PDB file of all heavy atoms in Angstrom:
ATOM      1  N   ARG P  89      -0.928 -50.740 -61.295  1.00 94.00           N
ATOM      2  CA  ARG P  89      -2.029 -51.262 -60.484  1.00 94.00           C
ATOM      3  C   ARG P  89      -2.122 -50.606 -59.118  1.00 94.00           C
ATOM      4  O   ARG P  89      -3.075 -50.852 -58.377  1.00 94.00           O
ATOM      5  CB  ARG P  89      -1.881 -52.778 -60.333  1.00 94.00           C
ATOM      6  CG  ARG P  89      -2.069 -53.524 -61.647  1.00 94.00           C
ATOM      7  CD  ARG P  89      -1.521 -54.930 -61.561  1.00 94.00           C
ATOM      8  NE  ARG P  89      -2.264 -55.732 -60.607  1.00 94.00           N
ATOM      9  CZ  ARG P  89      -3.278 -56.523 -60.957  1.00 94.00           C
ATOM     10  NH1 ARG P  89      -3.628 -56.637 -62.202  1.00 94.00           N
ATOM     11  NH2 ARG P  89      -3.930 -57.207 -60.055  1.00 94.00           N
ATOM     12  N   MET P  94      -5.425 -51.870 -57.211  1.00 93.00           N
ATOM     13  CA  MET P  94      -5.729 -53.266 -57.524  1.00 93.00           C
ATOM     14  C   MET P  94      -4.793 -54.212 -56.784  1.00 93.00           C
ATOM     15  O   MET P  94      -5.087 -55.384 -56.605  1.00 93.00           O
ATOM     16  CB  MET P  94      -5.623 -53.518 -59.039  1.00 93.00           C
ATOM     17  CG  MET P  94      -6.834 -53.097 -59.838  1.00 93.00           C
ATOM     18  SD  MET P  94      -8.385 -53.786 -59.273  1.00 93.00           S
ATOM     19  CE  MET P  94      -8.295 -55.405 -60.007  1.00 93.00           C
ATOM     20  N   THR P  97      -5.734 -56.513 -53.651  1.00 86.00           N
ATOM     21  CA  THR P  97      -6.294 -57.866 -53.626  1.00 86.00           C
ATOM     22  C   THR P  97      -5.233 -58.905 -53.292  1.00 86.00           C
ATOM     23  O   THR P  97      -5.552 -60.051 -53.041  1.00 86.00           O
ATOM     24  CB  THR P  97      -6.916 -58.234 -54.990  1.00 86.00           C
ATOM     25  OG1 THR P  97      -5.919 -58.076 -56.001  1.00 86.00           O
ATOM     26  CG2 THR P  97      -8.095 -57.338 -55.318  1.00 86.00           C
ATOM     27  N   ILE P 122     -13.989 -47.898 -53.969  1.00 93.00           N
ATOM     28  CA  ILE P 122     -14.963 -48.040 -55.049  1.00 93.00           C
ATOM     29  C   ILE P 122     -15.032 -46.761 -55.877  1.00 93.00           C
ATOM     30  O   ILE P 122     -15.045 -46.793 -57.105  1.00 93.00           O
ATOM     31  CB  ILE P 122     -16.326 -48.435 -54.447  1.00 93.00           C
ATOM     32  CG1 ILE P 122     -16.235 -49.890 -53.995  1.00 93.00           C
ATOM     33  CG2 ILE P 122     -17.456 -48.244 -55.435  1.00 93.00           C
ATOM     34  CD1 ILE P 122     -17.317 -50.342 -53.094  1.00 93.00           C
ATOM     35  N   ARG P 125     -11.821 -46.446 -57.920  1.00 95.00           N
ATOM     36  CA  ARG P 125     -11.800 -47.280 -59.133  1.00 95.00           C
ATOM     37  C   ARG P 125     -12.794 -46.783 -60.165  1.00 95.00           C
ATOM     38  O   ARG P 125     -12.652 -47.091 -61.353  1.00 95.00           O
ATOM     39  CB  ARG P 125     -12.066 -48.742 -58.769  1.00 95.00           C
ATOM     40  CG  ARG P 125     -10.884 -49.336 -58.021  1.00 95.00           C
ATOM     41  CD  ARG P 125     -11.102 -50.783 -57.680  1.00 95.00           C
ATOM     42  NE  ARG P 125      -9.970 -51.285 -56.902  1.00 95.00           N
ATOM     43  CZ  ARG P 125     -10.052 -52.253 -56.024  1.00 95.00           C
ATOM     44  NH1 ARG P 125     -11.205 -52.851 -55.795  1.00 95.00           N
ATOM     45  NH2 ARG P 125      -8.982 -52.651 -55.366  1.00 95.00           N
ATOM     46  N   ASN P 136     -10.645 -59.556 -71.197  1.00 92.00           N
ATOM     47  CA  ASN P 136     -11.389 -60.356 -70.216  1.00 92.00           C
ATOM     48  C   ASN P 136     -12.828 -59.886 -70.062  1.00 92.00           C
ATOM     49  O   ASN P 136     -13.246 -59.492 -68.989  1.00 92.00           O
ATOM     50  CB  ASN P 136     -10.675 -60.342 -68.859  1.00 92.00           C
ATOM     51  CG  ASN P 136     -10.460 -58.940 -68.322  1.00 92.00           C
ATOM     52  OD1 ASN P 136     -10.738 -57.955 -69.014  1.00 92.00           O
ATOM     53  ND2 ASN P 136      -9.989 -58.821 -67.113  1.00 92.00           N
ATOM     54  N   PRO P 137     -13.605 -59.936 -71.152  1.00 93.00           N
ATOM     55  CA  PRO P 137     -15.010 -59.555 -71.009  1.00 93.00           C
ATOM     56  C   PRO P 137     -15.738 -60.528 -70.086  1.00 93.00           C
ATOM     57  O   PRO P 137     -15.324 -61.682 -69.968  1.00 93.00           O
ATOM     58  CB  PRO P 137     -15.552 -59.635 -72.444  1.00 93.00           C
ATOM     59  CG  PRO P 137     -14.619 -60.521 -73.157  1.00 93.00           C
ATOM     60  CD  PRO P 137     -13.283 -60.362 -72.510  1.00 93.00           C
ATOM     61  N   PHE P 138     -16.803 -60.050 -69.448  1.00 92.00           N
ATOM     62  CA  PHE P 138     -17.608 -60.926 -68.597  1.00 92.00           C
ATOM     63  C   PHE P 138     -18.323 -61.943 -69.482  1.00 92.00           C
ATOM     64  O   PHE P 138     -18.665 -61.647 -70.622  1.00 92.00           O
ATOM     65  CB  PHE P 138     -18.663 -60.114 -67.834  1.00 92.00           C
ATOM     66  CG  PHE P 138     -18.089 -59.070 -66.929  1.00 92.00           C
ATOM     67  CD1 PHE P 138     -18.552 -57.768 -66.970  1.00 92.00           C
ATOM     68  CD2 PHE P 138     -17.092 -59.386 -66.021  1.00 92.00           C
ATOM     69  CE1 PHE P 138     -18.038 -56.800 -66.133  1.00 92.00           C
ATOM     70  CE2 PHE P 138     -16.565 -58.419 -65.186  1.00 92.00           C
ATOM     71  CZ  PHE P 138     -17.039 -57.120 -65.237  1.00 92.00           C
ATOM     72  N   PRO P 139     -18.579 -63.138 -68.947  1.00 87.00           N
ATOM     73  CA  PRO P 139     -19.335 -64.127 -69.721  1.00 87.00           C
ATOM     74  C   PRO P 139     -20.805 -63.727 -69.783  1.00 87.00           C
ATOM     75  O   PRO P 139     -21.672 -64.409 -69.248  1.00 87.00           O
ATOM     76  CB  PRO P 139     -19.123 -65.425 -68.942  1.00 87.00           C
ATOM     77  CG  PRO P 139     -18.816 -64.991 -67.557  1.00 87.00           C
ATOM     78  CD  PRO P 139     -18.144 -63.662 -67.657  1.00 87.00           C
ATOM     79  N   ALA P 140     -21.064 -62.597 -70.427  1.00 88.00           N
ATOM     80  CA  ALA P 140     -22.427 -62.063 -70.505  1.00 88.00           C
ATOM     81  C   ALA P 140     -22.582 -61.413 -71.882  1.00 88.00           C
ATOM     82  O   ALA P 140     -21.646 -61.428 -72.681  1.00 88.00           O
ATOM     83  CB  ALA P 140     -22.648 -61.053 -69.390  1.00 88.00           C
ATOM     84  N   TRP P 148     -23.020 -53.083 -67.085  1.00 93.00           N
ATOM     85  CA  TRP P 148     -22.909 -53.547 -65.698  1.00 93.00           C
ATOM     86  C   TRP P 148     -22.235 -52.520 -64.790  1.00 93.00           C
ATOM     87  O   TRP P 148     -22.735 -52.207 -63.712  1.00 93.00           O
ATOM     88  CB  TRP P 148     -22.168 -54.883 -65.636  1.00 93.00           C
ATOM     89  CG  TRP P 148     -22.265 -55.522 -64.290  1.00 93.00           C
ATOM     90  CD1 TRP P 148     -23.385 -56.035 -63.711  1.00 93.00           C
ATOM     91  CD2 TRP P 148     -21.229 -55.695 -63.326  1.00 93.00           C
ATOM     92  NE1 TRP P 148     -23.108 -56.526 -62.474  1.00 93.00           N
ATOM     93  CE2 TRP P 148     -21.802 -56.325 -62.206  1.00 93.00           C
ATOM     94  CE3 TRP P 148     -19.865 -55.374 -63.299  1.00 93.00           C
ATOM     95  CZ2 TRP P 148     -21.053 -56.643 -61.077  1.00 93.00           C
ATOM     96  CZ3 TRP P 148     -19.132 -55.707 -62.176  1.00 93.00           C
ATOM     97  CH2 TRP P 148     -19.722 -56.329 -61.075  1.00 93.00           C
ATOM     98  N   HIS P 153     -22.705 -48.460 -60.342  1.00 93.00           N
ATOM     99  CA  HIS P 153     -22.591 -47.132 -59.750  1.00 93.00           C
ATOM    100  C   HIS P 153     -23.895 -46.347 -59.825  1.00 93.00           C
ATOM    101  O   HIS P 153     -23.918 -45.160 -59.486  1.00 93.00           O
ATOM    102  CB  HIS P 153     -21.472 -46.347 -60.449  1.00 93.00           C
ATOM    103  CG  HIS P 153     -20.118 -46.952 -60.204  1.00 93.00           C
ATOM    104  ND1 HIS P 153     -19.452 -46.827 -59.007  1.00 93.00           N
ATOM    105  CD2 HIS P 153     -19.320 -47.710 -60.989  1.00 93.00           C
ATOM    106  CE1 HIS P 153     -18.301 -47.476 -59.079  1.00 93.00           C
ATOM    107  NE2 HIS P 153     -18.201 -48.026 -60.266  1.00 93.00           N
ATOM    108  N   ARG P 201     -16.172 -50.920 -71.634  1.00 95.00           N
ATOM    109  CA  ARG P 201     -16.626 -51.245 -70.283  1.00 95.00           C
ATOM    110  C   ARG P 201     -15.976 -50.321 -69.253  1.00 95.00           C
ATOM    111  O   ARG P 201     -16.622 -49.854 -68.321  1.00 95.00           O
ATOM    112  CB  ARG P 201     -16.271 -52.704 -69.977  1.00 95.00           C
ATOM    113  CG  ARG P 201     -16.523 -53.121 -68.552  1.00 95.00           C
ATOM    114  CD  ARG P 201     -16.222 -54.573 -68.348  1.00 95.00           C
ATOM    115  NE  ARG P 201     -14.786 -54.858 -68.371  1.00 95.00           N
ATOM    116  CZ  ARG P 201     -14.270 -56.074 -68.410  1.00 95.00           C
ATOM    117  NH1 ARG P 201     -15.057 -57.123 -68.435  1.00 95.00           N
ATOM    118  NH2 ARG P 201     -12.964 -56.256 -68.434  1.00 95.00           N
TER     119      ARG P 201
ATOM    120  N   THR W 165      -9.054 -63.288 -63.609  1.00 91.00           N
ATOM    121  CA  THR W 165      -8.991 -61.979 -64.278  1.00 91.00           C
ATOM    122  C   THR W 165     -10.384 -61.381 -64.458  1.00 91.00           C
ATOM    123  O   THR W 165     -10.519 -60.163 -64.531  1.00 91.00           O
ATOM    124  CB  THR W 165      -8.317 -62.103 -65.654  1.00 91.00           C
ATOM    125  OG1 THR W 165      -9.010 -63.107 -66.398  1.00 91.00           O
ATOM    126  CG2 THR W 165      -6.867 -62.462 -65.544  1.00 91.00           C
ATOM    127  N   LEU W 166     -11.414 -62.244 -64.523  1.00 92.00           N
ATOM    128  CA  LEU W 166     -12.778 -61.715 -64.631  1.00 92.00           C
ATOM    129  C   LEU W 166     -13.180 -61.017 -63.344  1.00 92.00           C
ATOM    130  O   LEU W 166     -13.853 -59.981 -63.360  1.00 92.00           O
ATOM    131  CB  LEU W 166     -13.766 -62.846 -64.929  1.00 92.00           C
ATOM    132  CG  LEU W 166     -13.674 -63.476 -66.310  1.00 92.00           C
ATOM    133  CD1 LEU W 166     -14.726 -64.563 -66.456  1.00 92.00           C
ATOM    134  CD2 LEU W 166     -13.865 -62.426 -67.372  1.00 92.00           C
ATOM    135  N   GLU W 168     -11.067 -59.648 -61.255  1.00 92.00           N
ATOM    136  CA  GLU W 168     -10.308 -58.392 -61.248  1.00 92.00           C
ATOM    137  C   GLU W 168     -11.002 -57.341 -62.104  1.00 92.00           C
ATOM    138  O   GLU W 168     -11.068 -56.167 -61.738  1.00 92.00           O
ATOM    139  CB  GLU W 168      -8.896 -58.629 -61.800  1.00 92.00           C
ATOM    140  CG  GLU W 168      -7.949 -59.233 -60.807  1.00 92.00           C
ATOM    141  CD  GLU W 168      -6.513 -59.157 -61.311  1.00 92.00           C
ATOM    142  OE1 GLU W 168      -6.323 -59.388 -62.512  1.00 92.00           O
ATOM    143  OE2 GLU W 168      -5.625 -58.861 -60.504  1.00 92.00           O
ATOM    144  N   ALA W 169     -11.512 -57.783 -63.267  1.00 93.00           N
ATOM    145  CA  ALA W 169     -12.189 -56.838 -64.154  1.00 93.00           C
ATOM    146  C   ALA W 169     -13.400 -56.227 -63.466  1.00 93.00           C
ATOM    147  O   ALA W 169     -13.654 -55.022 -63.575  1.00 93.00           O
ATOM    148  CB  ALA W 169     -12.617 -57.547 -65.436  1.00 93.00           C
ATOM    149  N   LEU W 171     -13.831 -55.887 -60.212  1.00 94.00           N
ATOM    150  CA  LEU W 171     -13.352 -54.960 -59.178  1.00 94.00           C
ATOM    151  C   LEU W 171     -12.884 -53.655 -59.815  1.00 94.00           C
ATOM    152  O   LEU W 171     -13.085 -52.572 -59.271  1.00 94.00           O
ATOM    153  CB  LEU W 171     -12.199 -55.574 -58.389  1.00 94.00           C
ATOM    154  CG  LEU W 171     -12.516 -56.721 -57.458  1.00 94.00           C
ATOM    155  CD1 LEU W 171     -11.249 -57.149 -56.737  1.00 94.00           C
ATOM    156  CD2 LEU W 171     -13.575 -56.335 -56.436  1.00 94.00           C
ATOM    157  N   ALA W 172     -12.255 -53.769 -60.997  1.00 94.00           N
ATOM    158  CA  ALA W 172     -11.651 -52.598 -61.624  1.00 94.00           C
ATOM    159  C   ALA W 172     -12.688 -51.592 -62.101  1.00 94.00           C
ATOM    160  O   ALA W 172     -12.371 -50.412 -62.234  1.00 94.00           O
ATOM    161  CB  ALA W 172     -10.760 -53.026 -62.801  1.00 94.00           C
ATOM    162  N   VAL W 173     -13.923 -52.023 -62.369  1.00 93.00           N
ATOM    163  CA  VAL W 173     -14.938 -51.022 -62.705  1.00 93.00           C
ATOM    164  C   VAL W 173     -15.555 -50.423 -61.447  1.00 93.00           C
ATOM    165  O   VAL W 173     -16.467 -49.609 -61.528  1.00 93.00           O
ATOM    166  CB  VAL W 173     -16.057 -51.563 -63.632  1.00 93.00           C
ATOM    167  CG1 VAL W 173     -15.506 -51.974 -64.961  1.00 93.00           C
ATOM    168  CG2 VAL W 173     -16.843 -52.666 -62.977  1.00 93.00           C
ATOM    169  N   GLY W 174     -15.041 -50.848 -60.301  1.00 92.00           N
ATOM    170  CA  GLY W 174     -15.487 -50.232 -59.055  1.00 92.00           C
ATOM    171  C   GLY W 174     -16.625 -50.964 -58.372  1.00 92.00           C
ATOM    172  O   GLY W 174     -17.380 -50.377 -57.613  1.00 92.00           O
ATOM    173  N   ALA W 175     -16.747 -52.274 -58.636  1.00 92.00           N
ATOM    174  CA  ALA W 175     -17.790 -53.029 -57.966  1.00 92.00           C
ATOM    175  C   ALA W 175     -17.327 -53.412 -56.564  1.00 92.00           C
ATOM    176  O   ALA W 175     -16.160 -53.727 -56.376  1.00 92.00           O
ATOM    177  CB  ALA W 175     -18.119 -54.288 -58.764  1.00 92.00           C
ATOM    178  N   PHE W 183     -21.578 -61.665 -59.241  1.00 90.00           N
ATOM    179  CA  PHE W 183     -21.744 -61.477 -60.685  1.00 90.00           C
ATOM    180  C   PHE W 183     -20.817 -62.394 -61.472  1.00 90.00           C
ATOM    181  O   PHE W 183     -21.250 -63.138 -62.350  1.00 90.00           O
ATOM    182  CB  PHE W 183     -21.468 -60.020 -61.040  1.00 90.00           C
ATOM    183  CG  PHE W 183     -21.591 -59.721 -62.515  1.00 90.00           C
ATOM    184  CD1 PHE W 183     -22.824 -59.722 -63.133  1.00 90.00           C
ATOM    185  CD2 PHE W 183     -20.471 -59.430 -63.276  1.00 90.00           C
ATOM    186  CE1 PHE W 183     -22.941 -59.438 -64.485  1.00 90.00           C
ATOM    187  CE2 PHE W 183     -20.577 -59.151 -64.622  1.00 90.00           C
ATOM    188  CZ  PHE W 183     -21.817 -59.160 -65.226  1.00 90.00           C
ATOM    189  N   ARG W 187     -22.225 -66.296 -62.205  1.00 84.00           N
ATOM    190  CA  ARG W 187     -22.573 -66.303 -63.618  1.00 84.00           C
ATOM    191  C   ARG W 187     -21.657 -67.249 -64.394  1.00 84.00           C
ATOM    192  O   ARG W 187     -22.100 -68.014 -65.237  1.00 84.00           O
ATOM    193  CB  ARG W 187     -22.437 -64.888 -64.173  1.00 84.00           C
ATOM    194  CG  ARG W 187     -23.043 -64.688 -65.524  1.00 84.00           C
ATOM    195  CD  ARG W 187     -22.884 -63.239 -65.906  1.00 84.00           C
ATOM    196  NE  ARG W 187     -24.023 -62.454 -65.532  1.00 84.00           N
ATOM    197  CZ  ARG W 187     -24.999 -62.139 -66.391  1.00 84.00           C
ATOM    198  NH1 ARG W 187     -24.949 -62.552 -67.625  1.00 84.00           N
ATOM    199  NH2 ARG W 187     -26.002 -61.405 -66.008  1.00 84.00           N
ATOM    200  N   GLU W 278     -17.768 -71.895 -72.353  1.00 45.00           N
ATOM    201  CA  GLU W 278     -16.867 -71.137 -73.204  1.00 45.00           C
ATOM    202  C   GLU W 278     -16.042 -70.092 -72.450  1.00 45.00           C
ATOM    203  O   GLU W 278     -15.023 -69.649 -72.948  1.00 45.00           O
ATOM    204  CB  GLU W 278     -17.648 -70.462 -74.327  1.00 45.00           C
ATOM    205  CG  GLU W 278     -18.781 -69.601 -73.825  1.00 45.00           C
ATOM    206  CD  GLU W 278     -19.881 -69.477 -74.889  1.00 45.00           C
ATOM    207  OE1 GLU W 278     -19.597 -69.766 -76.041  1.00 45.00           O
ATOM    208  OE2 GLU W 278     -20.994 -69.115 -74.536  1.00 45.00           O
ATOM    209  N   ILE W 279     -16.491 -69.715 -71.247  1.00 45.00           N
ATOM    210  CA  ILE W 279     -15.689 -68.733 -70.533  1.00 45.00           C
ATOM    211  C   ILE W 279     -14.357 -69.327 -70.093  1.00 45.00           C
ATOM    212  O   ILE W 279     -13.424 -68.599 -69.809  1.00 45.00           O
ATOM    213  CB  ILE W 279     -16.407 -68.200 -69.278  1.00 45.00           C
ATOM    214  CG1 ILE W 279     -16.840 -69.359 -68.407  1.00 45.00           C
ATOM    215  CG2 ILE W 279     -17.542 -67.298 -69.619  1.00 45.00           C
ATOM    216  CD1 ILE W 279     -16.617 -69.072 -66.972  1.00 45.00           C
TER     217      ILE W 279
END
Side-chain angles (χ1 to χ4, degrees):
Chain P
R89 293 163 65 95
M94 279 306 280
T97 56
I122 287 165
R125 290 181 183 151
N136 57 354
F138 299 130
W148 191 68
H153 294 285
R201 172 177 72 190
Chain W
T165 54
L166 290 181
E168 280 192 320
L171 290 182
V173 297
F183 179 71
R187 193 177 267 262
E278 55 206 343
I279 53 139

